Amino acid sequence: MRSQVMSFVESMNDSDDQHYHYKLFKTAEVNPYPSCFAIYLKYMFGQLENMQEEEIRGWAEYFRGFQDQDSGIFSDPNAFNRVVDEKHDSDHLDMQFTTFCIQALDCLGIESKYPLKFLEPYHDQSYLNRWLNELDWSNSSNSGNKCMFVAICAIYDYEIFNNQKSKKLLSYWLDWMNNN
């Protein structure tokens, strides 16, 4: 099964010179999301252990190239082409992409370049509670993703950058989840 999966993954590599460009399926356009998935699978199947340091650094710089220095968010410049509705707007896609990139970087054993400063408003318990309460929980898959993105980023921000405010955010987040 592993060889079939990895054969498929490598068949989605759409680059002669940049081995970081992947497609989700044969007729899809190249975008950075499948590149994250390729790293997850390479990690899961132990293939990153055989990768040369230069290649790991190349992958890391590819992902890190999407990170905004001021906010720390990772943004795919073509995400606006994939906005399907107001619930999956570019902010949603950026948060999702941020979680994908930090997880891919973690698989590579590399940190993001910049702290996740976009989390600062969420450090305020009143803001976080208001934001969580205002999510459309009748569409729980979308709202659940949004709150999961914040939690994943807060965990990363705490673990990698030792941001104590993000640790507190997680406490507030868990309190809200346990009480609602």
Side-chain angles (χ1 to χ4, degrees):
M1 178 60 86
R2 288 177 187 222
S3 63
Q4 284 180 291
V5 169
M6 292 315 301
S7 177
F8 168 76
V9 168
E10 292 312 316
S11 76
M12 294 299 105
N13 183 308
D14 192 56
S15 176
D16 294 328
D17 58 339
Q18 292 284 328
H19 55 274
Y20 321 117
H21 298 148
Y22 283 76
K23 300 184 292 187
L24 194 54
F25 52 92
K26 187 175 182 174
T27 58
E29 292 184 22
V30 168
N31 76 73
Y33 289 83
S35 298
C36 293
F37 305 149
I39 286 298
Y40 302 159
L41 289 166
K42 289 172 187 271
Y43 175 81
M44 187 170 76
F45 292 148
Q47 292 191 352
L48 295 181
E49 297 163 7
N50 302 323
M51 220 181 255
Q52 298 295 318
E53 185 66 28
E54 181 179 325
E55 186 177 358
I56 289 173
R57 287 263 169 228
W59 273 103
E61 290 312 308
Y62 172 71
F63 294 125
R64 291 165 115 198
F66 293 103
Q67 191 178 24
D68 179 73
Q69 181 176 356
D70 295 329
S71 68
I73 200 143
F74 290 74
S75 183
D76 170 11
N78 296 312
F80 66 90
N81 292 327
R82 289 188 285 284
V83 171
V84 294
D85 58 40
E86 68 276 356
K87 292 182 189 305
H88 294 88
D89 61 8
S90 58
D91 289 337
H92 178 97
L93 294 177
D94 284 349
M95 288 287 283
Q96 180 184 52
F97 188 51
T98 297
T99 64
F100 288 177
C101 285
I102 61 177
Q103 291 171 42
L105 286 167
D106 192 55
C107 289
L108 294 165
I110 307 278
E111 297 175 2
S112 65
K113 279 187 188 178
Y114 312 110
L116 307 182
K117 293 181 184 174
F118 68 89
L119 288 173
E120 288 175 4
Y122 300 96
H123 292 153
D124 178 74
Q125 185 174 15
S126 296
Y127 177 90
L128 178 67
N129 286 341
R130 185 172 49 257
W131 178 76
L132 288 166
N133 286 326
E134 290 174 0
L135 289 174
D136 178 9
W137 289 102
S138 68
N139 185 349
S140 61
S141 63
N142 181 271
S143 295
N145 280 339
K146 286 176 172 31
C147 74
M148 177 185 62
F149 300 153
V150 168
I152 290 168
C153 290
I155 292 167
Y156 184 85
D157 195 47
Y158 170 65
E159 289 184 345
I160 300 302
F161 297 105
N162 197 29
N163 187 336
Q164 296 300 311
K165 290 181 179 179
S166 286
K167 181 180 180 183
K168 193 73 171 159
L169 183 166
L170 290 166
S171 177
Y172 299 151
W173 187 90
L174 287 168
D175 286 346
W176 191 92
M177 291 294 163
N178 284 325
N179 293 317
N180 288 282

